[in-house]
Amino acid sequence: QAVDFATNPSDGHFIAYLSGAMFRRGLFVGKSAGGGYVEDVQFNPHYMARTPKDLPHVPGDFGGVINYQREHLDGIVFTDCSKEKVVGTFLYAARDGIAFHGKTDADVLIHGTDAASRAFVLDTAKGSRVNVALAQLVTLGDWAEGAIIATPGDYGDSVFAASQFWPD
């Protein structure tokens, strides 16, 4: 994983402007008893494909990267977080765009997942709460399942307000 804020307690974390293109897991946040903030995250493999040829770049199969991400990438993952604030996040191409697990209390404002297999995943414990406003969730590709996935083990409460869903 690229950024790990879950292996150790991350109370009061503040993550601002994180960008790149990951292959397995982008951002992992957890074990936060409260006051955690994540803002301005952008995971987008398009930049690799759009780098001008005269600048240093990594040549490769852009379509292959996207397909790999749609099958394997857990983009932005939260587990066991209390009073989490998530603002202005976006990613393109993932298995799970943004996911919430365990006992989690989160407010999400302005999140976008584009071209994912599962754009928004909920697998929260009883007593959890995830409030979402102004989300745009798009599923595409060979592994597309749905814009919002609530797993069989999801026992929390979730609310989506003023959001758009573009399923395949």
Side-chain angles (χ1 to χ4, degrees), residues 18-39:
L18 174 63
S19 67
M22 314 327 178
F23 293 105
R24 285 294 201 180
R25 181 176 278 163
L27 173 61
F28 187 32
V29 179
K31 296 182 184 174
S32 177
Y37 294 87
V38 172
E39 62 182 42

Side-chain angles (χ1 to χ4, degrees), residues 42-56:
Q42 184 172 15
F43 295 154
N44 193 339
H46 281 126
Y47 299 131
M48 174 183 73
R50 294 181 179 158
T51 302
K53 300 292 185 218
D54 57 334
L55 293 176

Side-chain angles (χ1 to χ4, degrees), residues 138-151:
V138 181
T139 54
L140 295 170
D142 294 341
W143 298 276
E145 290 183 40
I148 301 172
I149 300 293
T151 69

Side-chain angles (χ1 to χ4, degrees), residues 145-167:
E145 290 183 40
I148 301 172
I149 300 293
T151 69
D154 181 46
Y155 292 100
D157 294 322
S158 304
V159 174
F160 287 80
S163 296
Q164 293 181 322
F165 311 99
W166 301 53

Side-chain angles (χ1 to χ4, degrees), residues 59-138:
D61 175 13
F62 182 61
V65 169
I66 290 172
N67 283 336
Y68 185 87
Q69 288 175 312
R70 285 179 181 158
E71 187 178 10
H72 299 283
L73 175 64
D74 295 330
I76 303 170
V77 180
F78 296 90
T79 186
D80 299 318
C81 293
S82 180
K83 298 179 185 173
E84 189 70 32
K85 305 295 183 203
V86 183
V87 180
T89 55
F90 173 82
L91 64 95
Y92 183 92
R95 177 178 177 271
D96 291 351
I98 189 168
F100 295 87
H101 301 279
K103 180 73 171 171
T104 297
D105 175 48
D107 293 315
V108 180
L109 177 65
I110 310 172
H111 170 77
T113 293
D114 191 3
S117 299
R118 304 175 348 155
F120 203 104
V121 178
L122 295 160
D123 184 33
T124 59
K126 186 176 181 179
S128 294
R129 177 194 65 83
V130 179
N131 288 330
V132 183
L134 303 174
Q136 188 166 359
L137 307 174
V138 181

